[in-house]
Amino acid sequence: MRRLLFLCLSVVCSPLWAAHGYALWGDLKYGANFLHFDYVNPNAPKGGELRLVSNLRVSTFDKYNPFTIKGSAPAYLADLMFDSLLTGSLNETGAGYGLLARDVDVAPDGLSATFRLAPEARFHNGDPVLALDVKYSFDSLMGPHTSPAYKSLLEDVAGLDVLDERSVRYRFKKPNRELPLTVGGLPVFSRAWGAENGNAKSFDQIVTDVPIGSGPYKIGPVRFGKDITYVRDPTYWAKDLNVKRGSNNFDRITVKIYKDGTARLEALKAGEFDLMRFFSAGDWARRVNGKRFDSGELVKAEFKHRLPTGFQSYVLNTRRDKLKDVRVRQALGLALDYEWMNRQMFYNAYQRVNGLFGNTDCQASGMPSDAELALLARWPRDIPPAALGPMAVAPRTDGDSSLRANLRQAQALLNAAGWEVRDGALRNALGQAFDIEYLDSNESAARMAAPWARNLEKLGITLSFRPVDFALYQQRLQKFEFDITSIAYGGTHNPGQEYADIFGSKAADQEDSGNFVGVKNPAVDALIREMTSAKSKAELLPACRALDRVISHSHFLIPQWSAGTHRMVYNSWRLAKPESMPPYAAGEGWAIDTWWAK
């Protein structure tokens, strides 16, 4: 008996420090002794400068703390300056390898994950990265001064225990295979950041205090409103670590800010920076040209990826009375003629977004499976009846379909919802006209909205475009003060707790949450819980596909468009790159991580 007890204590109860990483479904691409990721050049030279344009919509920055709600931080700061316990690779999904953490051990019951910090890990000021810093970072992110998205994402984290100087244990409220990756990916920063005379400041008071992180770059020269330069830390503690070998090759990364898209494009043509990713099909097709392209200095290239399409959409705020009825929301979507827009405005460069999980195994299609039906049957009063039938598909205007037929269907839906055309406008029983506002900080969005507005006008609906500066736009979104806006939601191969922030009932009433739609539905909450508690991919797929059906048939979102490639222009005289892009790289992030200067 004593021998059996000893075996239990040594095998089950003590941490198994052999795990060099963690995979969501148990399979890591890289073994414990791998030398470097396959997609890097381990012998890439260090040096030179990468000059980028800011990828943010803000035209300036006023703080160095990227985690607090108020203000705007510079582009790429969080990724370049803060390491995390685990880091992912760009040629697999659902996996994390030790960075700040030397080892990770997930308990057999799934209720905790223990991380042991690498003893060589150092902050920029030379201090060791300790367990107390990990706890300080977690407590700060969960505090009152950061986005509610952190609280939603970490809702099932019960707490963090400091086991010793370099060991921490995250405790979970329930088993959730994704949580070890979630907490392992949180940024870690020093307790000394922002401290004055040894006293810590409130986290919201840490504004322009230079961050004390452990990442490969520090802040260098800064010209507020114009540019910021990150300088590579020559003593970066992880520069020879396998997960970092061949990465972070530039001595300097300068990020420049321009007031508008025209200025950015002309600056690129003038050689003011080295790389730019394009999101405008019109610019890509017609305006990316000039002497530097003709000489071969600037190269125009499309890099095919396998990333999820995401669900970039027009977002309908159901907190507004006019948008509460699902028939009204469906009618608005029927008036959007995507095929005409793609042909006449986008040079046939895009594909229509289809549901929440396009280009992933979670994408729903056709009729629901028996497993999906079993989940949906639990909430007959809370799901759209159509969710039990074929998966919703966006209306089309080509082939056997037409805009005229779609508008007739929209008119019938509006009439059934109590809206009829009287006195030249669509009105309800109270005589109120159907006029709605589309809010955006990008004035070019007016061009995209114009054909939709013309079609809505045929139904008697007035759609007004309201352009505002980004600061006001951000403020109004935080307080949900809009009728319609456009959001580019990122996709994922492994959906989980982040969807509680986007569609969860609790988030609907939290200012600055991601639930812009205002969804408050117990069925949606339950399906998100089913996703996060899935113990296998076989359990995950019915849950995420059922969620896809419920959201799509609720018509909260009017799907927009996506591209299967990263469209980028780069300076081939100044930059060198690996032979091919890993399938899950995110555009300019690939260049920042793995390219090098010639």
Side-chain angles (χ1 to χ4, degrees), residues 364-378:
S365 62
M367 295 295 293
S369 66
D370 290 342
E372 292 170 56
L373 287 172
L375 288 173
L376 294 170
R378 299 177 188 175

Side-chain angles (χ1 to χ4, degrees), residues 17-18 37 52 58 87 91 150 185 202 215 222 226 278 292-293 302 333 340-341 355 392 405 473 535 565 576 586:
W17 294 122
F37 291 133
L52 294 170
V58 292
T87 185
N91 57 354
Y150 285 111
S202 174
V222 175
K226 293 185 176 181
F278 280 79
R292 283 185 164 82
F293 290 92
E302 294 193 48
W340 182 92
M341 296 172 69
Y473 174 76
K535 295 180 175 62
T565 62

Side-chain angles (χ1 to χ4, degrees), residues 109-128:
D109 61 6
L111 290 176
S112 68
T114 303
F115 299 87
R116 184 173 62 167
L117 294 168
E120 64 271 26
R122 291 289 185 275
F123 288 114
H124 294 146
N125 63 356
D127 291 344

Side-chain angles (χ1 to χ4, degrees), residues 365-432:
S365 62
M367 295 295 293
S369 66
D370 290 342
E372 292 170 56
L373 287 172
L375 288 173
L376 294 170
R378 299 177 188 175
W379 306 282
R381 297 181 180 178
D382 299 310
I383 65 167
L388 299 174
M391 176 58 182
V393 293
R396 301 189 64 88
T397 58
D398 57 0
D400 296 335
S401 303
S402 68
L403 176 62
R404 183 180 182 85
N406 289 347
L407 291 178
R408 284 179 175 174
Q409 183 183 352
Q411 186 179 48
L413 287 166
L414 290 167
N415 290 345
W419 293 89
E420 295 183 353
V421 175
R422 295 195 305 274
D423 301 325
L426 190 69
R427 301 180 185 276
N428 60 14
L430 299 176
Q432 297 168 325

Side-chain angles (χ1 to χ4, degrees), residues 315-319 480 482 489 502-503 514-519 556-557:
V315 176
L316 308 181
N317 184 0
T318 62
R319 299 172 184 86
F480 311 120
F482 68 93
Y489 295 96
I502 302 173
F503 298 122
N515 192 344
F516 300 112
V517 170
V519 184
F556 298 126
L557 307 168

Side-chain angles (χ1 to χ4, degrees), residues 24 82 113 122 169 171 239 257 333-334 362 392 535 570 591:
L24 190 62
F82 299 102
R122 291 289 185 275
R169 177 183 293 132
R171 290 176 285 105
K239 65 180 185 296
I257 297 173
L334 284 161
C362 274
K535 295 180 175 62
Y570 64 92

Side-chain angles (χ1 to χ4, degrees), residues 38-108:
D38 294 344
Y39 51 83
V40 304
N41 173 7
N43 301 313
K46 306 291 186 184
E49 181 179 22
L50 173 62
R51 300 174 303 167
L52 294 170
V53 60
S54 174
N55 65 339
L56 302 178
R57 294 173 71 176
V58 292
S59 58
T60 187
F61 54 87
D62 53 16
K63 65 173 185 174
Y64 293 142
N65 186 341
F67 310 114
T68 49
I69 296 174
K70 295 182 179 179
S72 300
Y76 308 114
L77 185 147
D79 292 332
L80 294 174
M81 297 193 67
F82 299 102
D83 279 340
S84 50
L85 296 172
L86 303 178
T87 185
S89 71
L90 301 179
N91 57 354
E92 65 185 317
T93 65
Y97 296 88
L99 181 53
L100 286 172
R102 170 174 285 182
D103 308 290
V104 54
D105 172 50
V106 178

